[in-house]
Amino acid sequence: MSVLYRLNRILTLVVAALFLGGLSTVQAKTVITVGAYHFPPVAEVDKDHKPQGLLADLIQGLKAAHDDIDLQIFHTSPKRRHLDFDAGLYDVMFFESPDWGWTNRDITVSRPILTDEDFYVALRKPGRDLDFFEDIRNRNLIAISGYHYGFADLENNTKTLQNNFRIEFSDSHSRNLKLIKADRPSVAEVAIISRAYLQRHLSKQPEDWRQLLISDRLDQRYELRIIARKHGPVSASDMMRRLEPLVADGSYRMMVEKWGLQLPPSFLTNFK
């Protein structure tokens, strides 16, 4: 066997080892499936089922900060999110309240990473004032199917809600506000809209300040967290550690403020 042949053979083995080593590095990435449903501006889903809103910015930031994870999106709906979780179709959900149907599930939960609140919204009319919102049970409500609301003690079963309230359902805040502005009281007198969504809507359509009557009391205030499957690929604490560099360099705060959302009190000063 010639010296040249042996050298070529050694070089081939070295190149093959490096190639396989590279493959093993790629394969070593932790795959994390993130559940997402339509919850604007926290999370939105476009026609191609790609995430938008704060969630999309966060996913992009986490990918840029950590090359050892592969974040994949699973699109669910407000009504199906618990069933899809139970079926093992996703591992993690960002920006979720553990009070929204998660009590009896095997999950890990982070500290709050976001906060928002819901208001009642009606059509402004002569003689109508904030007393209009005093007794929600006597109003025709329009809500989003699968969402949890304070007036209903966070119950989200459609039939139960319809048995106890005069309520109809849609799939978006946009549609609900259109119904309110259309002045169809037999269908919708009051909508429940998040502060962040309402703020963005009014910044784009400032004329609605004159059309809409907004309650001075809340339906609910909520603190949103990371929820992860117990014994899944990552825990909620793991994801908080992944979030740390985005908090440290200020990028997470800028993402939150970009969408008109708020960080929980003392979030930045007591992050660790």
Side-chain angles (χ1 to χ4, degrees):
M1 185 180 295
S2 68
V3 173
L4 182 60
Y5 176 83
R6 287 199 298 271
L7 288 174
N8 285 336
R9 180 64 174 168
I10 292 171
L11 181 61
T12 299
L13 291 173
V14 169
V15 170
L18 290 172
F19 177 75
L20 291 173
L23 284 179
S24 65
T25 300
V26 173
Q27 293 170 350
K29 283 191 175 186
T30 300
V31 177
I32 304 167
T33 305
V34 179
Y37 63 89
H38 195 66
F39 182 24
V42 175
E44 300 181 56
V45 180
D46 66 16
K47 62 181 181 179
D48 297 320
H49 288 179
K50 293 182 180 179
Q52 297 179 320
L54 174 59
L55 178 63
D57 289 348
L58 178 59
I59 295 296
Q60 184 177 356
L62 288 171
K63 285 182 176 180
H66 305 285
D67 60 5
D68 62 335
I69 56 175
D70 179 12
L71 294 166
Q72 300 180 359
I73 298 294
F74 175 80
H75 295 101
T76 183
S77 71
K79 288 191 70 173
R80 285 201 55 84
R81 70 189 191 275
H82 303 107
L83 293 175
D84 289 340
F85 182 85
D86 293 343
L89 298 179
Y90 62 92
D91 309 301
V92 172
M93 182 164 279
F94 292 95
F95 311 123
E96 183 76 358
S97 170
D99 296 329
W100 293 347
W102 298 95
T103 304
N104 298 317
R105 288 178 165 84
D106 288 333
I107 57 173
T108 60
V109 181
S110 76
R111 57 171 291 191
I113 61 171
L114 194 70
T115 185
D116 204 4
E117 50 206 17
D118 291 342
F119 290 90
Y120 303 120
V121 180
L123 186 66
R124 188 182 294 274
K125 290 185 173 184
R128 178 178 287 180
D129 58 22
L130 295 176
D131 290 342
F132 186 75
F133 301 110
E134 283 301 312
D135 190 357
I136 292 298
R137 286 183 177 272
N138 287 330
R139 303 300 175 197
N140 291 319
L141 306 174
I142 182 70
I144 296 181
S145 180
Y147 277 24
H148 300 254
Y149 293 104
F151 71 83
D153 295 325
L154 305 184
E155 174 63 61
N156 76 331
N157 182 278
T158 300
K159 291 183 178 179
T160 301
L161 290 170
Q162 288 178 327
N163 286 337
N164 289 283
F165 300 93
R166 289 150 47 183
I167 189 168
E168 296 294 335
F169 297 97
S170 83
D171 60 0
S172 74
H173 286 317
S174 175
R175 173 172 166 74
N176 292 354
L177 285 177
K178 287 179 180 178
L179 285 170
I180 293 296
K181 292 194 295 181
D183 194 12
R184 298 176 61 191
S186 63
V187 177
E189 291 180 293
V190 174
I192 307 95
I193 309 291
S194 73
R195 181 194 58 80
Y197 183 90
L198 192 58
Q199 178 177 295
R200 289 180 64 82
H201 173 84
L202 292 172
S203 69
K204 295 176 181 178
Q205 301 184 46
E207 67 277 7
D208 280 358
W209 278 110
R210 297 188 298 272
Q211 294 192 55
L212 299 176
L213 181 67
I214 302 169
S215 65
D216 61 350
R217 67 186 183 93
L218 302 178
D219 177 71
Q220 66 171 319
R221 178 179 285 115
Y222 37 86
E223 292 183 328
L224 304 178
R225 307 167 187 251
I226 302 169
I227 287 177
R229 180 183 310 284
K230 191 176 286 188
H231 310 305
V234 291
S235 67
S237 296
D238 294 333
M239 294 313 302
M240 285 295 286
R241 286 191 289 272
R242 300 285 187 179
L243 182 61
E244 185 172 340
L246 304 184
V247 174
D249 68 11
S251 58
Y252 178 62
R253 178 178 181 176
M254 288 188 288
M255 293 175 197
V256 169
E257 292 177 351
K258 168 185 171 182
W259 295 100
L261 291 154
Q262 295 179 329
L263 295 173
S266 303
F267 176 82
L268 296 176
T269 54
N270 298 313
F271 180 74
K272 292 185 179 181

